[in-house]
Amino acid sequence: MPSGTADEDEPLSAYKARLHNQNTTKPLIEQVSNQWKEKDSDTEKVPYYAEDDTRELGFCDLEDDGSCPNVSRDIVSSRRFRRMFAVTLLAALLLYYAWKHLVAPPLEEDWAYKEGFVAQENGTYGIAKGGRDIDPDLVRLQDLDKRLLPGGEADVEGKRRLVFVGDVHGCKEELVKLLKEVEFDENSDHLVLVGDVISKGPDNVGVLDELIRLNASSVRGNHEDRILQVARSAHNTLSSTSSKGHAKDLALLKQLKPRHIEYLRSMPLMLHIPSLPQAAKPTHKKDSPISEHILVVHAGVVPGVPFSKQDPYYIMNMRSINRRTHVPSALHASSKNEKPWFDVWGWYNDRIFRKQSLKHFNHALQPTDYEAEEDNRAWTSLWKNFWGERHARPKPQVVIYGHDSKTGLQIHRWSKGLDSACVGGGKLTALVLNAKGKWETKSVGCKNYRG
């Protein structure tokens, strides 16, 4: 009977005792039974590791499944990796597109605008024609009579309105029709023209008579300026020049009476309207109530340049500004650096309104003439710096203008262009402003007087 086998007649307790005695007398190694020991005995105890298997597998060994090339191959060939790669590539392309077409252009444009405000030799932009052939009777800047201001001391109930009208060009019939359309009240409303009230149209004398009767205000346009230049000339004859335009101006001048000439000479280059006392709080939106100072000019204004240094020729003729030099032009924008003047003006006033940094604008950022006076009156020692100097910061302003019939009606936050080509068969447009700063535009159709 084998030692490890139980006899059928042997009691269970005797079998367990005999088995225990056998196990305790064997070496421990003999009591171990596993696959390694069995394999070792089957191979006649040949060492398990062969000589060739003792070398260590390298990081890039192709025989090792965990090596760099094999792991990389498995990753690249996996569907998940291909999806992640495609998503990453798409995200990179979207970021590049967003940078190139959405982020970079505004940054580049912003920088180009700023370059125009970097201080130059004279502390401002180079004036092209300033000081030459200026009418000695020209009033550069005029304040609106405070009695005409909506919501002012003479209008505590806020019933007065200002009605601004674009280039009339001698179209009296359309002017009368427009005033009726806006329900113009001669007792409480005040009419303001943006210049070029005469020339080209059928009834220049009738327009002037109507404006004089209504005690309307108007800034000087390039056509009024031309008529006054002809009037100053010592050679008011058709033979004095071969210019067709001069001949027309001279013919128009001969129709005018002294009262008309006096009215033309009284037109200022710029009309300043103070902020409305009862105006609602302004916003950045295009249809925001107008609570800022208003400047009425015929053509445009160069931002950052004090009014005393504005060139009268460009105030009456500009249409574009070079954004890198801020030199204006009477021509329309024809390159990427030339912008409609109101674009540059809008960028400038946006920056002021948002209280963005004006650090590098240097001497260009002088307050306007009327702002300087206002600040001096309101200035207290609380707002002085260490050296006792005040921190002058310009305020946003709204410009109302005409002149540019080709561009047409242009309504923006900081500028309102009202020339809608009436004399050429377009429309005559009015902007009506009430004491709360709320405004609306209304237009009437016009006949084509150029045909």
Side-chain angles (χ1 to χ4, degrees):
M1 180 179 64
S3 59
T5 305
D7 187 9
E8 295 180 358
D9 299 330
E10 185 179 15
L12 180 59
S13 58
Y15 168 74
K16 290 182 178 181
R18 181 166 56 84
L19 185 61
H20 174 73
N21 292 334
Q22 291 177 355
N23 290 337
T24 55
T25 58
K26 291 181 179 181
L28 291 176
I29 190 63
E30 295 296 332
Q31 299 179 37
V32 176
S33 177
N34 54 34
Q35 295 178 356
W36 176 83
K37 187 171 182 297
E38 292 174 359
K39 185 173 182 179
D40 189 47
S41 63
D42 293 342
T43 57
E44 298 181 354
K45 297 186 179 180
V46 176
Y48 177 73
Y49 296 107
E51 182 178 355
D52 293 340
D53 295 334
T54 59
R55 66 184 178 86
E56 295 183 0
L57 297 176
F59 181 69
C60 292
D61 196 325
L62 296 178
E63 295 182 7
D64 184 5
D65 292 340
S67 65
C68 175
N70 291 329
V71 171
S72 299
R73 181 195 61 201
D74 294 341
I75 292 175
V76 171
S77 62
S78 69
R79 183 177 299 176
R80 181 180 181 184
F81 173 81
R82 291 197 296 269
R83 286 198 302 266
M84 291 179 61
F85 178 78
V87 171
T88 302
L89 180 61
L90 179 61
L93 291 174
L94 289 175
L95 287 174
Y96 173 77
Y97 179 87
W99 168 259
K100 185 174 182 180
H101 297 281
L102 301 178
V103 179
L107 292 178
E108 292 174 358
E109 185 171 23
D110 195 60
W111 174 248
Y113 282 137
K114 286 181 182 179
E115 282 187 316
F117 285 106
V118 175
Q120 301 178 16
E121 182 178 355
N122 297 325
T124 182
Y125 85 109
I127 298 178
K129 282 192 57 176
R132 294 192 299 175
D133 195 25
I134 296 178
D135 183 354
D137 297 325
L138 175 64
V139 177
R140 283 182 173 267
L141 180 65
Q142 185 179 89
D143 289 317
L144 181 72
D145 189 331
K146 61 182 181 180
R147 293 172 297 179
L148 302 175
L149 187 67
E153 295 179 0
D155 182 39
V156 292
E157 295 182 359
K159 293 183 178 181
R160 184 177 294 280
R161 301 183 303 170
L162 293 177
V163 178
F164 303 89
V165 176
D167 301 36
V168 177
H169 278 298
C171 302
K172 180 182 178 181
E173 180 181 336
E174 286 78 2
L175 175 61
V176 172
K177 183 178 178 181
L178 179 61
L179 294 180
K180 184 176 181 180
E181 176 69 21
V182 301
E183 299 179 349
F184 186 81
D185 186 343
E186 297 181 14
N187 296 318
S188 60
D189 298 337
H190 184 64
L191 181 61
V192 181
L193 288 300
V194 298
D196 277 5
V197 299
I198 58 173
S199 185
K200 300 182 181 181
D203 193 359
N204 299 289
V205 173
V207 168
L208 290 176
D209 284 336
E210 184 69 8
L211 299 184
I212 293 172
R213 185 183 72 83
L214 294 174
N215 194 30
S217 300
S218 177
V219 294
R220 183 180 297 194
N222 56 304
H223 282 278
E224 285 84 17
D225 193 60
R226 282 169 48 179
I227 293 298
L228 291 173
Q229 284 183 10
V230 173
R232 294 197 310 272
S233 173
H235 305 287
N236 293 334
T237 62
L238 290 172
S239 60
S240 64
T241 178
S242 60
S243 168
K244 183 178 179 180
H246 180 86
K248 288 184 176 181
D249 291 339
L250 185 56
L252 172 56
L253 178 61
K254 290 181 177 181
Q255 300 176 31
L256 304 182
K257 300 295 188 290
R259 67 176 184 276
H260 300 138
I261 299 298
E262 182 181 355
Y263 183 74
L264 295 179
R265 285 176 177 165
S266 70
M267 294 179 175
L269 184 66
M270 296 171 279
L271 177 66
H272 166 234
I273 300 173
S275 56
L276 305 180
Q278 299 180 16
K281 184 177 180 181
T283 68
H284 187 261
K285 296 180 180 179
K286 184 173 70 172
D287 60 351
S288 169
I290 300 177
S291 64
E292 299 83 10
H293 289 269
I294 298 174
L295 190 66
V296 184
V297 299
H298 178 58
V301 184
V302 179
V305 178
F307 294 156
S308 59
K309 294 184 178 181
Q310 294 276 346
D311 190 325
Y313 172 81
Y314 288 124
I315 293 291
M316 294 182 286
N317 291 276
M318 77 165 68
R319 289 188 177 94
S320 63
I321 294 179
N322 187 299
R323 64 178 181 171
R324 291 188 180 275
T325 63
H326 280 198
V327 174
S329 171
L331 303 177
H332 287 95
S334 59
S335 70
K336 71 174 184 178
N337 283 330
E338 292 175 354
K339 295 285 187 181
W341 77 269
F342 51 80
D343 280 354
V344 185
W345 180 263
W347 175 87
Y348 173 76
N349 282 274
D350 259 345
R351 196 170 190 88
I352 297 173
F353 182 81
R354 296 176 185 274
K355 294 182 169 43
Q356 291 178 305
S357 173
L358 303 174
K359 179 179 179 182
H360 300 294
F361 289 26
N362 298 322
H363 301 294
L365 289 173
Q366 300 180 38
T368 59
D369 299 349
Y370 53 80
E371 284 178 342
E373 294 177 2
E374 184 179 87
D375 289 344
N376 285 332
R377 289 195 301 267
W379 187 249
T380 62
S381 59
L382 179 64
W383 296 100
K384 292 182 179 179
N385 64 13
F386 181 79
W387 301 105
E389 299 173 349
R390 64 187 183 87
H391 300 280
R393 182 184 178 92
K395 300 174 183 178
Q397 304 166 74
V398 174
V399 172
I400 299 178
Y401 68 101
H403 184 59
D404 198 349
S405 61
K406 182 178 178 180
T407 304
L409 190 65
Q410 291 288 328
I411 303 299
H412 304 281
R413 174 61 180 93
W414 305 110
S415 61
K416 319 292 183 185
L418 302 182
D419 188 355
S420 46
C422 177
V423 74
K427 296 181 177 180
L428 186 62
T429 301
L431 184 148
V432 183
L433 177 69
N434 68 17
K436 300 296 183 182
K438 294 183 179 181
W439 56 271
E440 62 176 342
T441 59
K442 290 192 176 183
S443 302
V444 295
C446 301
K447 298 177 184 177
N448 188 351
Y449 298 104
R450 287 185 169 179

